[in-house]
Amino acid sequence: MRNRSAYPPQLFVLAVLALVSFTIQLRLSANLIADLFFPASTPSPTLAMTEGKDRIAWAGPNAKKAGLEADDRVLTVDDRPYSGEGGLASAIAAAGPGGSVKLRTMRGDDTRQVLVLIAADQPPSKKSIVINLIYRLVTPLFCLALGFFVAFQRPFDKLAWIVLGLMASFSQASGGGLMRYAYAWDDWLRPVAIFFIAVCLSTWPIAMLWFGTFFPVPSRLEQKWPWLKWLLIAPVSLWGIVRITTAVISVQYGAAPALLQTLNGTLGRYVFIFFSIPISFFFMQLGEKSGTLPSKDARRRIKLIWMGTMFSLTPMFVLALIGFIRGGELDSLPEWFVIPALLLQLLFPITLAYVIVVQRAMDVRMALRLGLRYTLARSGVAVTRGILIGALIGFIIFAAVQWHVRGVQLIALICLGVIGVLFLRRIFGRVSRWVDRRFFRETYAAEQILADLSDEVRTIVETQPLLQTVGTRLSESLHVPKVSLLLKYSDGYRPAYSHGFAEMPRVAFADDSGIVRQLRDIRGPVMIYRDDPDSWTRDLTVTESDELSKLDSELVLPMAVKDKLHGFIALGQKQSEEPYSGSDVKLLQSVAAQTGLALENAQLTAVVATEVAQRERLNRELEIAREVQERLFPQKYPAVPGLDYAGHCRPAQGVGGDYYDFVEVPGGAFGIAIGDISGKGIPAALLMASLQASLRGQAITGPTDLAALMNNMNRLIFDTSPSNRYATFFYGQYNPQSRIFTYVNGGHNAPMVCRNGDVIRLEDGGPPVGLFSAASYSQSTVELHPGDVLVGFTDGISEAMNHADDEFGEERMIPVIEEGRTLSANVIIDRLFVAADVFADGAPQHDDMTAIVVRVLDVQT
């Protein structure tokens, strides 16, 4: 008598869903192929109805010639009362190119009867054919195939059903526009197809959210706030119910009730927002898992999905956002953006297929790599099966198109194809099992497997894969139904992996428990004889004996390195009920020892990896901060009549606190700034950014009172920075017409104006900004002459020291400036830095080095 559990209800439901889904999709595909390759026999788009209403939304050229316009109400179609957009589409399809459809319409209070001629569709371009084949044919079929493949492989796994829902919904979300073909089906499949497509289109964001929440494990957000996902999908679900109901009614029966029309229109205006929120949480939760999952492989797989999905769907999101802003208007967008955005959607299911099938994220297939012959045999079976199934599907599509199969005949052909696929799957399943027996069970003895396992565990550096590999292989090689591996935790030894148990055994052994003491004393395998009154187990407490009984163990092996017991392996009784032989115990002891060594390596690797990851993260953060800070320095130098100027900053660390800027001031003035933040590193860089923002925010007003400007900056910096943070700051404005330079020096190294051997120091101003809550500043002016060189610098240059702790000093800077008076500002700056470096003679740079040079030119020359 056949076991009834061999055919669970999940498989029956899957079979029905697969039959319906592929029947609908293949028929839609056949319509699409006919539309692309046989346009002469396909009616061109004639009319489009407003969803949920009996009014025209769009009228084609022939409809307009007949006098129809948008918002006209359709009363009858070929003398039959209007029964929905499906009836209208069926009438147009039945008339075909060259035929006509008689409509009675109402505009205002006037009714009229018109005859609309049906034209043949226009031949599509080659580019349109390729886009449609990829976007609307390949992508939906690939999505459905992947979803049902995973679900049939793991029919009892909730994740598999989530993947199926995601792929089914995405198959219609990506292949948008095929629903119109279903309108013309004049049979029972039309309402089923409309319902199926509408459900898929409405539930895609829900499926995305569900996948991000539960794949491969529940997210932290789900664990903390499990009710949040229901709150996020509530508006999507409400709109989905309204949309699905409206679609089915309007296609099959006519105008939907007024309440549904109102709800559909109101909610539809916000559908972009409804969709964006759950999809955003999909990316957020996968992003969080890509950095927090314990398994490196799991993190890598999640990161692949996250990156593939982001790359695939971001362009489409941009299109949807533009459509939302423009009210659906996308016609003006360039083809070079729209077409790749559509085609890139195929990357999403491909990425998912790669991670799930190739990377085995859900164990949907088992690849036993036990020799070249086995690999070739197994791969040959898979390739042959794929070729035959692909050929069968291709034949069905070819037959449907070439022989113009329609209606019941098409359904029969599809059913025949499904039966053929199931038959091939069954046959090749038997072939695969024969290959497994031929190349595995008859070739490898238990001794060989254990010996190979002992060598294999040395190369595994991740704890969970190591435990899973050891536990599974021990069970398979010795036919031991129950295996547990316990590791050392802060509260004792607890199971970290178990095989053959309904759930992880809830046991814990303290450091001073009897089994732990026995393993440390013997430093080798321990047999458990419960029926021997003289066994060591008689000294166990009742609690310890009960805990040991829960593991149902017969042999315990320590996973130790020297005197450190990392854990132990508990093996149950063999299926044959034979005792463990001496060779078994010897091999198992080797496996346990190698596992203990691998565990120690895994712990060391984890510590090193954590430190490396933290160091890399800090380095990357510093690199990002450096890049951001570099963007704060002037990127373009505005042209100023009569001036040649430049600036450069070289931080002592990745980021620094020095600042310089050149600002175009309204009214024709030119602002020059240089500053030095107290401290170094990121805190100084943050205050530097605040200083820049404060200066730029005030300079755009075109101030003439620079003392008041400095007062404002002092107050802003003081209020927004800690008490130990301040900045020396110099700011001046140059008038190109009068050559008057007005400045305020806030405690900064006095910039120098070098003029024919003389040096003018610009010292007037006040204290550093941000040092005191209230400070007084004064401004001064100096007239610059042609040939003058204004040099501003920070103490990183003037106080650059050599190995003898001697400072470079301003007196060594002046000759460098004088010698380069006729050279460009950039060259002078380079010479200053080179001179400071030569003086330092290899001594480390302790402070940020910044300089600005402004040369006053003779504009007549």
Side-chain angles (χ1 to χ4, degrees):
M1 184 175 180
R2 185 180 295 275
N3 185 359
R4 294 178 61 186
S5 63
Y7 297 100
Q10 289 92 333
L11 286 177
F12 175 76
V13 173
L14 277 175
V16 172
L17 289 176
L19 179 63
V20 172
S21 302
F22 278 103
T23 299
I24 293 172
Q25 193 60 48
L26 287 173
R27 187 170 175 182
L28 291 172
S29 300
N31 290 151
L32 175 64
I33 292 173
D35 202 1
L36 294 175
F37 296 102
F38 306 100
S41 60
T42 305
S44 67
T46 305
L47 287 174
M49 305 297 292
T50 304
E51 187 176 64
K53 300 181 180 180
D54 55 2
R55 297 182 179 275
I56 296 173
W58 171 85
N62 284 359
K64 289 182 178 179
K65 288 181 181 179
L68 297 179
E69 295 179 0
D71 207 40
D72 284 356
R73 184 181 176 189
V74 178
L75 302 177
T76 65
V77 179
D78 286 338
D79 297 325
R80 290 189 296 271
Y82 176 73
S83 59
E85 192 167 357
L88 176 60
S90 297
I92 293 174
S100 61
V101 174
K102 184 167 62 175
L103 302 177
R104 188 161 64 90
T105 63
M106 174 180 288
R107 183 182 304 164
D109 295 329
D110 298 331
T111 61
R112 65 176 66 186
Q113 186 163 291
V114 298
L115 195 66
V116 181
L117 298 178
I118 309 301
D121 205 359
Q122 295 296 319
S125 64
K126 292 182 179 179
K127 180 173 66 176
S128 177
I129 291 175
V130 172
I131 293 171
N132 276 277
L133 288 178
I134 297 176
Y135 175 55
R136 292 177 173 170
L137 180 68
V138 175
T139 302
L141 287 172
F142 182 80
C143 290
L144 289 177
L146 174 62
F148 281 105
F149 170 75
V150 174
F152 273 109
Q153 290 281 332
R154 302 179 66 86
F156 305 102
D157 190 344
K158 179 176 71 174
L159 281 179
W161 287 85
I162 292 176
V163 172
L164 173 59
L166 177 61
M167 289 292 94
S169 60
F170 189 74
S171 71
Q172 303 309 313
S174 65
L178 294 184
M179 184 187 285
R180 64 186 180 89
Y181 293 127
Y183 292 166
W185 299 350
D186 195 11
D187 52 32
W188 62 272
L189 195 57
R190 179 171 64 195
V192 177
I194 298 302
F195 178 80
F196 169 76
I197 298 173
V199 168
C200 291
L201 290 173
S202 304
T203 57
W204 178 51
I206 299 176
M208 292 281 284
L209 173 63
W210 227 256
F211 184 88
T213 300
F214 293 104
F215 185 89
V217 294
S219 64
R220 291 184 178 180
L221 202 64
E222 169 66 14
Q223 296 173 16
K224 191 173 183 179
W225 296 307
W227 49 266
L228 182 60
K229 61 180 179 295
W230 301 106
L231 186 64
L232 295 175
I233 67 175
V236 182
S237 301
L238 176 61
W239 178 81
I241 293 171
V242 172
R243 170 76 190 283
I244 295 166
T245 308
T246 303
V248 173
I249 292 176
S250 63
V251 169
Q252 194 69 12
Y253 303 105
L259 177 60
L260 278 180
Q261 294 183 23
T262 302
L263 286 174
N264 190 42
T266 303
L267 295 174
R269 287 194 291 270
Y270 305 100
V271 68
F272 176 78
I273 299 174
F274 296 160
F275 275 41
S276 297
I277 294 175
I279 295 174
S280 299
F281 272 80
F282 161 87
F283 286 105
M284 183 181 71
Q285 293 182 104
L286 285 189
E288 177 260 323
K289 292 177 187 178
S290 69
T292 59
L293 287 179
S295 169
K296 181 179 179 181
D297 280 343
R299 294 197 303 270
R300 176 175 50 79
R301 292 165 182 152
I302 289 297
K303 192 171 293 185
L304 277 174
I305 294 178
W306 189 89
M307 293 177 64
T309 307
M310 180 70 73
F311 188 71
S312 171
L313 300 185
T314 297
M316 203 61 201
F317 171 79
V318 174
L319 284 180
L321 179 62
I322 295 174
F324 176 72
I325 295 173
R326 295 185 175 182
E329 171 57 39
L330 296 175
D331 293 340
S332 60
L333 293 180
E335 284 189 355
W336 59 261
F337 179 75
V338 176
I339 293 174
L342 297 176
L343 299 183
L344 273 176
Q345 293 183 79
L346 180 59
L347 184 62
F348 174 50
I350 288 177
T351 303
L352 206 61
Y354 176 77
V355 172
I356 291 177
V357 179
V358 179
Q359 296 290 322
R360 292 178 291 169
M362 293 179 61
D363 292 328
V364 295
R365 65 183 182 92
M366 181 173 62
L368 302 173
R369 297 182 176 91
L370 300 173
L372 180 60
R373 289 192 303 158
Y374 173 83
T375 303
L376 292 176
R378 186 78 159 153
S379 301
V381 171
V383 170
T384 304
R385 179 177 62 180
I387 291 173
L388 290 178
I389 292 177
L392 181 60
I393 295 175
F395 171 77
I396 292 174
I397 296 176
F398 174 81
V401 174
Q402 189 69 23
W403 300 335
H404 302 287
V405 178
R406 298 288 187 273
V408 177
Q409 292 178 338
L410 178 61
I411 296 173
L413 185 62
I414 293 173
C415 291
L416 183 62
V418 172
I419 294 172
V421 170
L422 295 176
F423 176 77
L424 288 174
R425 189 174 183 275
R426 188 180 186 90
I427 293 298
F428 279 96
R430 293 182 178 180
V431 174
S432 297
R433 288 191 292 273
W434 177 85
V435 170
D436 289 343
R437 288 194 300 269
R438 174 66 181 85
F439 288 94
F440 176 63
R441 298 178 184 174
E442 294 177 6
T443 305
Y444 285 82
E447 290 81 6
Q448 183 63 47
I449 296 171
L450 291 179
D452 292 345
L453 177 61
S454 181
D455 294 332
E456 182 181 352
V457 295
R458 302 176 188 174
T459 62
I460 305 177
V461 295
E462 291 186 62
T463 301
Q464 201 59 34
L466 171 67
L467 300 179
Q468 183 175 355
T469 299
V470 172
T472 304
R473 296 284 288 277
L474 288 179
S475 176
E476 292 175 351
S477 60
L478 295 174
H479 302 287
V480 180
K482 294 184 178 180
V483 179
S484 298
L485 289 91
L486 295 86
L487 294 184
K488 178 72 169 65
Y489 294 95
S490 58
D491 58 346
Y493 294 84
R494 291 186 284 106
Y497 176 80
S498 64
H499 180 86
F501 294 84
E503 59 181 9
M504 189 80 75
R506 298 182 180 179
V507 298
F509 300 91
D511 286 345
D512 59 349
S513 62
I515 181 65
V516 175
R517 290 198 307 270
Q518 188 76 3
L519 289 169
R520 284 176 176 159
D521 292 341
I522 296 178
R523 298 186 180 183
V526 174
M527 302 296 297
I528 300 175
Y529 302 104
R530 293 184 177 84
D531 54 353
D532 185 359
D534 296 326
S535 172
W536 65 272
T537 56
R538 73 178 187 276
D539 297 327
L540 296 176
T541 65
V542 175
T543 302
E544 291 174 355
S545 182
D546 290 340
E547 295 282 80
L548 202 57
S549 298
K550 292 179 182 178
L551 296 177
D552 200 15
S553 55
E554 186 172 302
L555 175 64
V556 179
L557 303 126
M559 297 184 292
V561 177
K562 296 182 179 180
D563 295 332
K564 187 175 182 180
L565 182 64
H566 291 288
F568 53 90
I569 303 172
L571 299 172
Q573 191 180 51
K574 291 183 179 181
Q575 283 183 335
S576 61
E577 298 183 357
E578 295 178 353
Y580 291 91
S581 65
S583 61
D584 288 342
V585 174
K586 184 177 180 180
L587 286 168
L588 289 169
Q589 187 174 1
S590 175
V591 171
Q594 293 296 336
T595 305
L597 184 60
L599 283 172
E600 179 149 317
N601 291 336
Q603 292 176 2
L604 293 175
T605 301
V607 171
V608 172
T610 301
E611 292 177 355
V612 170
Q614 185 175 6
R615 190 178 301 113
E616 288 179 351
R617 184 168 61 252
L618 291 175
N619 290 338
R620 180 55 185 156
E621 289 174 355
L622 285 174
E623 181 65 16
I624 293 173
R626 185 187 65 80
E627 293 173 359
V628 171
Q629 187 179 47
E630 286 182 352
R631 297 296 299 175
L632 295 179
F633 291 118
Q635 301 299 305
K636 294 181 179 180
Y637 288 0
V640 180
L643 289 188
D644 169 30
Y645 63 95
H648 180 64
C649 174
R650 189 173 75 189
Q653 301 176 4
V655 293
D658 279 7
Y659 167 59
Y660 74 91
D661 209 351
F662 301 115
V663 185
E664 287 185 286
V665 181
F670 177 60
I672 301 171
I674 187 170
D676 187 359
I677 312 299
S678 62
K680 300 178 183 67
I682 290 179
L686 292 174
L687 185 55
M688 174 264 197
S690 177
L691 186 68
Q692 188 219 37
S694 301
L695 174 63
R696 294 254 174 165
Q698 296 191 69
I700 60 174
T701 63
T704 56
D705 189 348
L706 301 191
L709 177 147
M710 193 70 79
N711 268 309
N712 292 337
M713 292 188 63
N714 176 72
R715 187 173 61 255
L716 289 171
I717 299 300
F718 183 89
D719 291 341
T720 58
S721 62
S723 58
N724 63 339
R725 295 292 177 189
Y726 59 90
T728 63
F729 183 63
F730 175 90
Y731 178 69
Q733 289 185 174
Y734 175 73
N735 189 321
Q737 285 74 33
S738 64
R739 291 180 178 162
I740 298 298
F741 184 67
T742 307
Y743 70 91
V744 179
N745 191 333
H748 192 72
N749 303 80
M752 300 180 295
V753 177
C754 296
R755 177 181 297 167
N756 296 324
D758 296 330
V759 176
I760 304 173
R761 286 179 167 83
L762 309 182
E763 300 173 327
D764 297 337
V769 294
L771 186 60
F772 306 106
S773 60
S776 176
Y777 295 90
S778 61
Q779 66 185 43
S780 296
T781 60
V782 60
E783 183 179 356
L784 300 181
H785 302 158
D788 287 354
V789 179
L790 169 63
V791 179
F793 56 95
T794 61
D795 54 16
I797 294 180
S798 60
E799 297 177 5
M801 292 187 294
N802 57 21
H803 292 285
D805 291 339
D806 296 326
E807 291 186 355
F808 182 53
E810 296 181 10
E811 297 306 319
R812 289 187 176 90
M813 294 174 56
I814 295 173
V816 176
I817 300 169
E818 289 291 342
E819 291 172 5
R821 293 174 58 83
T822 60
L823 303 176
S824 68
N826 275 314
V827 174
I828 296 175
I829 288 179
D830 290 342
R831 289 193 171 194
L832 277 175
F833 275 81
V834 169
D837 291 341
V838 170
F839 175 81
D841 193 24
Q845 177 185 339
H846 295 289
D847 200 358
D848 306 328
M849 300 174 67
T850 302
I852 58 172
V853 172
V854 180
R855 294 177 59 242
V856 183
L857 307 176
D858 186 351
V859 294
Q860 295 180 351
T861 62

